[in-house]
């Protein structure tokens, strides 16, 4: 049996950005919304162009807010009681690489399919996969270094010093965690956490599996594709850009290219018949 050739994946960009934490948003929310909409979650839009998607039981709500009041482009909250305050919340600002948000929503969709015991699982130190330390393991395995820059804070810094993640210990204001950057977890890129190029925050009770999905994506050494002309999609002057070379054509590509340059054949009835004399013969009657 002849196998069909595999479809080649089209890369959305003309340069690779590395390290990937120096990329920025692609400007589209569709990839991050897709895992949730694939589960049948509802989606609504307001008059400004913001989008809101809700789980069927209303225990998880996601806002994509390009016209929000601040730079919090993505606000994701989960609830034990749909009519009560959020149990946990995460925020990604408007320059966070879209791939990192998608990693979070993909893990969230998986957790939701497994039920409340998974998507509302609180981090607990020393308890298997719920130990907060698991959230930083992907970074440490890829050369990020842990430090204690100040009392009550653990920090993990990228090898190039241009990204970091902080975990704050002690008691925090639950409301402030959901509405400011004063959250238990903060991931960021730039030369200073005080003025990050992009940032993401997560409150105290955010499940470790969701955090680990993001840090695993951040730690991946593979670069991210972007368009060189779209300078807002990477941190200009800091990121390394490598041209994306077109892939070598497959035999099928060659055959198609040759066929496209070949002149179209004339219909048989239109082909002139030439006699052995110097004059062209008249076409005979059609049968």
């Amino acid at each position: 049996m002849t196998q069909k050739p595999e479809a080649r994946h089209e890369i959305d960009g003309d340069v690779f950005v590395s390290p990937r934490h120096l990329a920025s948003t692609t400007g589209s929310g569709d990839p991050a919304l897709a895992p949730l909409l694939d589960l049948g979650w509802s989606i609504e839009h307001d008059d400004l162009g913001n989008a809101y998607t809700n789980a069927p039981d209303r225990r998880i709500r996601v806002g994509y807010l390009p016209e929000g009041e601040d730079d919090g482009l993505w606000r994701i909250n989960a609830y034990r009681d749909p009519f009560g305050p959020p149990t946990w919340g995460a925020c990604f600002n408007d320059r966070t690489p879209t791939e990192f948000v998608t990693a979070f929503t993909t893990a969230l969709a998986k957790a939701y399919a497994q039920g409340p015991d998974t998507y509302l699982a609180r981090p607990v130190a020393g308890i298997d996969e719920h130990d907060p330390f698991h959230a930083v393991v992907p970074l440490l395995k890829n050369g990020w270094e842990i430090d204690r820059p100040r009392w009550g804070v653990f920090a993990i810094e990228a090898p190039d010093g241009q990204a970091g993640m902080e975990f704050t210990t002690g008691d925090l204001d639950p409301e402030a965690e959901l509405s400011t950057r004063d959250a238990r977890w903060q991931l960021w890129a730039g030369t200073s956490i005080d003025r990050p190029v992009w940032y993401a925050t997560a409150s105290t009770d955010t499940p470790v599996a969701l955090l680990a999905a993001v840090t695993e994506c951040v730690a991946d050494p593979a670069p991210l594709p972007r368009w060189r002309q779209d300078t807002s999609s990477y941190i200009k002057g800091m990121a390394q850009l490598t041209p994306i070379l077109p892939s070598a054509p497959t035999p099928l590509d060659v055959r198609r290219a040759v066929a496209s340059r070949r002149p179209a054949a004339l219909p048989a009835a239109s082909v002139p018949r030439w006699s052995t004399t110097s004059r062209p013969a008249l076409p005979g009657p059609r049968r």
Side-chain angles (χ1 to χ4, degrees):
M1 183 174 64
T2 303
Q3 293 184 341
K4 293 181 179 180
E6 295 183 3
R8 295 207 322 220
H9 177 65
E10 293 293 332
I11 299 176
D12 188 15
D14 57 5
V15 292
F16 280 124
V17 176
S18 60
R20 58 172 42 204
H21 55 256
L22 296 182
S24 184
T25 178
T26 62
S28 172
D30 292 346
L33 288 171
L36 307 175
L37 300 182
D38 288 346
L39 290 181
W41 292 24
S42 63
I43 186 167
E44 300 173 356
H45 299 81
D46 63 19
D47 296 338
L48 299 176
N50 300 311
Y52 306 86
T53 182
N54 297 280
D57 62 3
R58 299 284 169 168
R59 288 190 175 186
I60 302 179
R61 302 168 193 169
V62 177
Y64 174 64
L65 312 171
E67 298 300 329
E69 296 179 354
D70 53 30
D71 66 348
L73 180 62
W74 294 92
R75 293 198 177 274
I76 304 170
N77 295 320
Y79 305 77
R80 292 191 183 279
D81 179 352
F83 301 100
T87 301
W88 61 258
C91 174
F92 299 85
N93 89 324
D94 55 3
R95 292 200 65 183
T96 304
T98 307
E99 292 83 355
F100 301 168
V101 186
T102 303
F104 187 94
T105 57
T106 299
L108 180 60
K110 180 180 178 181
Y112 184 79
Q114 295 173 350
D117 289 343
T118 302
Y119 67 80
L120 294 176
R122 297 180 65 251
V124 182
I127 304 297
D128 299 328
E129 69 272 15
H130 301 302
D131 192 319
F133 182 72
H134 287 289
V136 303
V137 168
L139 301 175
L140 298 177
K141 285 184 175 180
N142 283 274
W144 291 47
E145 296 185 357
I146 194 166
D147 190 16
R148 296 200 67 173
R150 55 193 181 278
W151 185 87
V153 173
F154 288 93
I156 303 92
E157 187 177 63
D160 64 355
Q162 295 174 338
M165 186 174 191
E166 289 197 352
F167 173 81
T168 301
T169 63
D171 295 331
L172 297 177
D173 181 347
E175 186 175 345
E177 283 198 85
L178 299 173
S179 57
T180 72
R181 288 175 56 199
D182 295 328
R184 183 72 61 191
W185 297 93
Q186 183 168 183
L187 182 64
W188 56 277
T191 56
S192 169
I193 189 174
D194 297 321
R195 294 185 178 180
V197 176
W198 64 258
Y199 68 84
T201 63
S203 69
T204 297
D205 287 339
T206 305
V208 172
L210 306 185
L211 298 169
V214 177
T215 56
E216 186 172 349
C217 187
V218 173
D220 190 331
L224 294 176
R226 294 292 187 267
W227 296 98
R228 183 186 295 272
Q229 186 175 357
D230 184 10
T231 56
S232 65
S233 70
Y234 56 89
I235 303 179
K236 192 174 182 180
M238 297 169 63
Q240 178 179 345
L241 306 182
T242 304
I244 298 176
L245 301 177
S247 56
T250 66
L252 179 60
D253 292 331
V254 174
R255 290 198 297 272
R256 286 174 175 169
V258 172
S260 67
R261 290 194 292 268
R262 200 176 285 156
L266 294 172
S270 301
V271 178
R273 308 287 181 179
W274 294 91
S275 69
T276 56
T277 65
S278 60
R279 290 187 309 162
L282 295 176
R286 295 184 180 179
R287 297 182 179 178

